Amino acid sequence: MALSTVICIGMAGSGKTTFMQRLNSHLRSKKTAPYVINLDPAVLRIPYGANIDIRDSIKYKKVMENYQLGPNGAIVTSLNLFSTKIDQVIKLVEKKNESHKHCIIDTPGQIECFVWSASGSIITESFASTFPTVIAYIVDTPRNSSPTTFMSNMLYACSILYKTKLPMIVVFNKTDVCKADFAREWMTDFESFQAALREDQDTNGTSGMGSGYMGSLVNSMSLMLEEFYSQLDMVGVSSFTGEGFDDFLEAVDNKVGEYDEYYKAEREKILKEKEEKEKKRKEKSLDGLMRDLGINENKTAKSDNEGADVLSDLEIDDNDGLVERDEDEGVEREYTFPGEERTEGEINSKNEPDLQKRYRDAFESVAKDASSQTAENIAKYIRQ
């Protein structure tokens, strides 16, 4: 069976990293060790062995210092820098396609830094376009026993579903502290949720909220979510005891089938439409340029740099990307950027690139080439 990807997303404190640790050990106990990727640059220590770790490539504190950023800005910037080499990450994972059944990915606890950033979309879409990909949305069960808090969390899950357009499993974590039976009931029985909402309002002395704008808003959202729940699988797990992880893996297998049947075809359709629109846009821009120059030739010269090798075209040798790990971890760690020393991945005052100068030089070079090409075309047209 081909490798499938599970991207773990959750609010800070939901137990996401502990969930990753338990899932990793559970799969290893079944002799199906997963391929593990850590995308949290700010974590000091992870309780599992990672095959690819963003911290090998990006030094979070140096990013904060050199770019004068706060914690969240540094996380977003680190993900932006990492996403520029996502093609190499995908190639490393593709090499493990036959030897691993699952690739599990841990994301930053600051959920908005990953879900709503451009780099998060690039990373997610890169995996989703290559492997069957499932989103595991981790929920802190004890903190969602209130109907209003539960609804707020489900609305966030809804927004992630429609942002990523990928199959989603809602994982109610910490069931050893609080059982998730109430959540399953609320997700399958609209009247039960309404009764719990009224009871919560009466208990907290907010019975006046049952009428007017607030009552209408709450009722409308709960009705909308009832339709949303039909697109989800719900699983209760305990990262502390390991309870429910067999159910989670079964849900992943079901969602992989759903991905192949629905999401893959939809994504291919969207990508094809984007490609067609981009092709038409380029043709329109070229026609406009030709009209501006007064050139009516039907044929256009092929760009000199077309087909030139770029970073994503470079091949990776079989032994590239390997990094020695401590013996007690027992995990083959792969360095993200093949052919580079570990220290070169660090961003500091000595090797920090002058991005503005690079952009300016590149712009001037392209502008000079374009000007000379335009002059040549005009002279050619005049001679004709």
Side-chain angles (χ1 to χ4, degrees), residues 160-172:
I160 294 174
L161 175 67
Y162 290 108
K163 176 69 169 62
T164 60
K165 296 181 175 64
L166 290 171
M168 176 181 285
I169 303 172
V170 178
V171 182
F172 284 89

Side-chain angles (χ1 to χ4, degrees), residues 224-244:
M224 183 276 294
L225 287 176
E226 187 178 29
E227 178 67 22
F228 165 64
Y229 295 148
S230 63
Q231 307 297 322
L232 299 178
D233 278 7
M234 177 267 183
V235 178
V237 304
S238 170
S239 298
F240 181 71
T241 65
E243 177 187 2

Side-chain angles (χ1 to χ4, degrees), residues 44-97:
L44 294 178
R45 179 183 175 274
I46 52 176
Y48 51 81
N51 299 93
I52 294 177
D53 195 330
I54 188 175
R55 298 175 302 166
D56 287 341
S57 309
I58 310 297
K59 303 304 180 185
Y60 171 73
K61 290 186 178 180
K62 290 294 183 181
V63 171
M64 286 184 66
E65 177 183 344
N66 294 329
Y67 292 103
Q68 298 180 356
L69 297 170
N72 288 349
I75 291 175
V76 173
T77 303
S78 298
L79 288 170
N80 289 341
L81 294 169
F82 185 82
S83 66
T84 62
K85 301 277 182 109
I86 189 61
D87 56 317
Q88 296 183 11
V89 176
I90 296 296
K91 287 182 179 180
L92 288 172
V93 179
E94 280 183 319
K95 288 183 178 181
K96 306 298 181 180
N97 193 26

Side-chain angles (χ1 to χ4, degrees), residues 20 28-29 67 69 102 120 137 152 192 214 230 266-267 273 294 296 307 340 371:
M20 282 279 298
R28 286 180 176 276
S29 68
Y67 292 103
L69 297 170
H102 297 97
Y137 182 66
S152 300
S192 174
M214 183 59 68
S230 63
E266 183 65 22
R267 291 185 67 83
E273 290 176 354
N296 297 320
E340 299 179 5
S371 299

Side-chain angles (χ1 to χ4, degrees), residues 22 34 57 71 90 98 130 135 168 216 264 286 332 337 354 367 374:
R22 176 60 70 172
S57 309
I90 296 296
E98 299 298 328
T130 311
I135 301 294
M168 176 181 285
S216 175
K264 184 178 180 180
L286 182 60
E332 181 187 56
F337 304 164
D354 186 352
T374 301

Side-chain angles (χ1 to χ4, degrees), residues 14 29 40 56 67 106 110 116 122 179 194 212 215 256 258 319 326 332 339 341-342 345 351 354 364:
S14 61
S29 68
D40 189 350
D56 287 341
Y67 292 103
D106 196 5
Q110 288 76 2
W116 303 111
I122 291 171
K179 294 294 183 182
Q194 289 287 339
V256 167
E258 184 179 317
N319 296 324
D326 295 336
E332 181 187 56
E341 297 293 334
R342 294 179 61 127
N351 63 6
D354 186 352
E364 290 176 355

Side-chain angles (χ1 to χ4, degrees), residues 18-19 21-27 29-30 172-176 179 235-249:
T18 311
F19 172 83
Q21 177 193 23
R22 176 60 70 172
L23 179 60
N24 180 36
S25 60
H26 186 79
L27 288 170
S29 68
K30 294 180 174 293
F172 284 89
N173 196 14
K174 306 180 183 180
T175 55
D176 56 300
K179 294 294 183 182
V235 178
V237 304
S238 170
S239 298
F240 181 71
T241 65
E243 177 187 2
F245 276 83
D246 285 329
D247 295 335
F248 173 75
L249 292 175

Side-chain angles (χ1 to χ4, degrees), residues 164-332:
T164 60
K165 296 181 175 64
L166 290 171
M168 176 181 285
I169 303 172
V170 178
V171 182
F172 284 89
N173 196 14
K174 306 180 183 180
T175 55
D176 56 300
V177 178
C178 177
K179 294 294 183 182
D181 296 339
F182 71 90
R184 189 182 301 277
E185 184 179 359
W186 289 350
M187 293 176 70
T188 55
D189 188 350
F190 169 74
E191 294 181 356
S192 174
F193 178 79
Q194 289 287 339
L197 185 63
R198 288 192 297 270
E199 181 181 352
D200 181 67
Q201 292 172 351
D202 293 340
T203 302
N204 295 314
T206 56
S207 57
M209 293 174 59
S211 60
Y213 170 76
M214 183 59 68
S216 175
L217 176 62
V218 171
N219 287 327
S220 298
M221 287 193 297
S222 57
L223 282 170
M224 183 276 294
L225 287 176
E226 187 178 29
E227 178 67 22
F228 165 64
Y229 295 148
S230 63
Q231 307 297 322
L232 299 178
D233 278 7
M234 177 267 183
V235 178
V237 304
S238 170
S239 298
F240 181 71
T241 65
E243 177 187 2
F245 276 83
D246 285 329
D247 295 335
F248 173 75
L249 292 175
E250 182 180 351
V252 169
D253 291 339
N254 293 335
K255 286 299 181 182
V256 167
E258 184 179 317
Y259 171 91
D260 292 333
E261 185 175 357
Y262 299 107
Y263 287 84
K264 184 178 180 180
E266 183 65 22
R267 291 185 67 83
E268 289 176 350
K269 179 182 176 182
I270 292 173
L271 291 174
K272 187 176 180 180
E273 290 176 354
K274 285 184 178 180
E275 185 179 348
E276 291 294 331
K277 288 181 180 179
E278 182 64 16
K279 183 178 179 181
K280 290 180 180 178
R281 186 191 67 79
K282 289 182 178 179
E283 291 176 352
K284 185 178 179 180
S285 298
L286 182 60
D287 290 342
L289 177 62
M290 298 293 281
R291 284 196 301 270
D292 292 341
L293 295 174
I295 299 174
N296 297 320
E297 292 178 320
N298 294 326
K299 58 181 180 179
T300 59
K302 184 177 179 181
S303 175
D304 292 337
N305 62 351
E306 185 175 344
D309 286 341
V310 294
L311 178 64
S312 58
D313 296 327
L314 300 179
E315 294 294 332
I316 302 176
D317 296 333
D318 292 338
N319 296 324
D320 283 342
L322 298 181
V323 144
E324 294 184 0
R325 297 288 292 156
D326 295 336
E327 295 181 358
D328 57 341
E329 293 197 22
V331 174
E332 181 187 56

